[in-house]
């Protein structure tokens, strides 16, 4: 199975900050990497698919990059509604589909 | 609009089975695979398996082989996930989520609202 490792596991930041979350795959997954945002008590929401494509309706302050084994999710200017947990997910070699362990983004 | 509506919360005793439903609407049911993903309290996301609503074929995560069964009813656009021999570690929110049959990117663009299954004696 492909292991997905996110860093950091948690992060404190302020409104207006630029934030980067990293996801590393245990082997190459090309660009089959997706990012989700999850708020407490809610289902995950798709932000970025295929490593760098912005899902319709998602603000442009979110962006993704990378290929192979190393990927990043960047939020260019944090807004209050962005404080949540973020997950990466690989869909290259399946089954199984695997997720990172999550990055909790908290208000500083 | 596209919706995945899941059945309500369940409380089960250890050793019992639970069957969760996920009713799809607003799109062609057979054009999207349906997956089940669970999340234990305070934990991350765990993939359980996938069903092709068109033909009914399934693939399960090795961890759940022998305990999980995914089925579908095309007449009602509903998929089901049944988990047997429940133990306390199965306490979690269970989500259905779809991926496109025609796009190999494998991303979940729509999720159900989640169903809390609590296993307790």
């Amino acid at each position: 199975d492909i292991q997905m490792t996110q860093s950091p596991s948690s992060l404190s930041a302020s409104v207006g900050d630029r934030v980067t979350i990293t996801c590393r795959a245990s082997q190459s997954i090309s660009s089959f990497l997706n990012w989700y945002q999850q708020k407490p008590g809610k289902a995950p929401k798709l932000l970025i698919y295929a490593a760098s494509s912005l899902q319709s309706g998602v603000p442009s302050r979110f962006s993704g990059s990378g290929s192979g084994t190393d990927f990043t999710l960047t939020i260019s200017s944090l807004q209050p509604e962005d404080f949540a947990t973020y997950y990466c997910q690989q869909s290259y070699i399946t089954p199984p589909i695997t997720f990172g362990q999550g990055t909790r983004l908290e208000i500083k | 609009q596209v919706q995945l509506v899941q059945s309500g919360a369940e409380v089960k005793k250890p050793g019992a089975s639970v069957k969760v439903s996920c009713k799809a609407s607003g799109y062609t049911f057979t054009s999207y695979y349906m997956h089940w993903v669970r999340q234990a309290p305070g934990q991350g996301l765990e993939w359980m398996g996938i069903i092709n609503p068109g033909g009914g074929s399934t693939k399960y995560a090795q961890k759940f082989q022998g305990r999980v069964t995914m089925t579908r009813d095309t007449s009602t656009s509903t998929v089901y996930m049944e988990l047997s021999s429940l133990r306390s570690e199965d306490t979690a929110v269970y989500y259905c989520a779809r991926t496109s049959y025609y796009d190999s990117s494998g991303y979940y663009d729509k999720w159900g609202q989640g169903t809390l299954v609590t296993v307790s004696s």
Side-chain angles (χ1 to χ4, degrees):
Chain A
D1 298 357
I2 296 179
Q3 307 302 316
M4 307 301 294
T5 304
Q6 288 181 232
S7 61
S9 296
S10 63
L11 174 59
S12 294
S14 301
V15 172
D17 283 354
R18 179 183 180 89
V19 167
T20 297
I21 298 170
T22 297
C23 180
R24 174 165 289 176
S26 60
Q27 64 186 82
S28 178
I29 57 170
S30 185
S31 296
F32 288 81
L33 190 284
N34 311 304
W35 290 98
Y36 301 86
Q37 176 193 66
Q38 187 179 33
K39 296 183 178 179
K42 299 294 187 182
K45 172 189 172 183
L46 178 67
L47 299 175
I48 301 287
Y49 64 94
S52 60
S53 295
L54 189 68
Q55 172 69 349
S56 176
V58 174
S60 59
R61 63 181 179 272
F62 291 93
S63 64
S65 65
S67 67
T69 60
D70 294 315
F71 302 86
T72 58
L73 172 70
T74 299
I75 310 172
S76 60
S77 179
L78 271 175
Q79 298 302 299
E81 60 268 29
D82 299 337
F83 293 94
T85 300
Y86 293 84
Y87 293 94
C88 61
Q89 170 235 334
Q90 72 82 21
S91 54
Y92 182 59
I93 295 180
T94 66
I97 283 175
T98 48
F99 295 88
Q101 80 279 16
T103 295
R104 185 174 178 181
L105 179 53
E106 300 173 318
I107 300 174
K108 183 183 286 184
Chain B
Q1 72 281 24
V2 174
Q3 283 191 298
L4 300 177
V5 179
Q6 298 183 221
S7 49
E10 303 263 12
V11 179
K12 296 292 182 181
K13 293 193 182 302
S17 298
V18 68
K19 192 170 186 177
V20 180
S21 67
C22 171
K23 182 173 175 60
S25 62
Y27 69 96
T28 302
F29 183 59
T30 53
S31 293
Y32 288 79
Y33 297 108
M34 198 71 78
H35 302 240
W36 289 90
V37 176
R38 77 176 187 178
Q39 186 171 38
Q43 302 301 308
L45 301 166
E46 181 176 34
W47 183 80
M48 299 180 68
I50 179 177
I51 183 167
N52 178 352
S57 61
T58 56
K59 291 181 182 178
Y60 303 134
Q62 190 168 9
K63 175 177 179 176
F64 301 103
Q65 288 276 2
R67 281 211 302 145
V68 69
T69 304
M70 297 177 188
T71 56
R72 93 295 189 213
D73 181 344
T74 56
S75 69
T76 61
S77 298
T78 302
V79 296
Y80 300 91
M81 186 283 298
E82 184 170 19
L83 188 63
S84 63
S85 302
L86 289 169
R87 35 210 188 227
S88 58
E89 309 90 88
D90 294 317
T91 294
V93 175
Y94 290 76
Y95 294 102
C96 59
R98 71 173 196 173
T99 57
S100 173
Y101 186 82
Y102 301 104
D103 183 343
S104 61
S105 296
Y107 54 85
Y108 299 117
D109 68 338
K110 197 69 180 178
W111 297 67
Q113 82 277 18
T115 296
L116 175 62
V117 175
T118 302
V119 182
S120 174
S121 55

